[in-house]
Amino acid sequence: QVQLVESGGGLVQAGGSLRLSCAASGRTFSRYVMGWFRQAPGKERECVGAIIWSGDYTYYTDSVKGRFTISRDNAKNTLYLQMNSLKPEDTAVYYCAAEEHGIFTPNVGEYDYWGQGTQVTVSL
């Protein structure tokens, strides 16, 4: 089992940057597929990006390609999301999640463990 704690959210102007972090407990972090998800009010939760255990393969939803970068440091049990050129439509609660069966997927239902979320608000 793993516990996940996100940090780094906040209020930023359009065009600005934020870096989210997700600290994971447990000794098996390096075995998990990890993902960043977001949920805006009235909308379904969507996968922003995902990364396999080694970091060699990543996935991004189309709306963030070229602006967001997902990465992980297995030695530090930490997942990151670097967000650049932020837009008001990026405003949401951002969650990190872990998938323990090695399935590399953007599907919300495949992820087994979730953090509590961190708010990101992008103003005009």
Side-chain angles (χ1 to χ4, degrees), residues 19-41:
R19 189 194 197 200
L20 304 184
S21 298
C22 173
S25 66
R27 295 174 291 177
T28 57
F29 172 79
S30 62
R31 295 165 53 184
Y32 294 122
V33 171
M34 299 297 298
W36 282 104
F37 294 77
R38 66 185 180 188
Q39 188 165 19

Side-chain angles (χ1 to χ4, degrees), residues 29-101:
F29 172 79
S30 62
R31 295 165 53 184
Y32 294 122
V33 171
M34 299 297 298
W36 282 104
F37 294 77
R38 66 185 180 188
Q39 188 165 19
K43 295 188 176 182
E44 293 187 351
R45 191 170 297 189
E46 66 167 344
C47 182
V48 174
I51 187 168
I52 67 168
W53 69 273
S54 66
D56 289 341
Y57 291 98
T58 57
Y59 160 87
Y60 297 98
T61 193
D62 286 346
S63 61
V64 307
K65 285 180 180 177
R67 301 189 297 122
F68 290 11
T69 302
I70 189 171
S71 62
R72 65 192 296 166
D73 186 335
N74 290 336
K76 295 182 178 179
N77 281 11
T78 304
L79 177 73
Y80 303 100
L81 184 68
Q82 178 66 44
M83 304 187 294
N84 299 328
S85 302
L86 283 160
K87 304 175 181 180
E89 50 263 44
D90 295 318
T91 296
V93 178
Y94 283 71
Y95 301 88
C96 70
E99 197 290 318
E100 65 179 348
H101 301 295

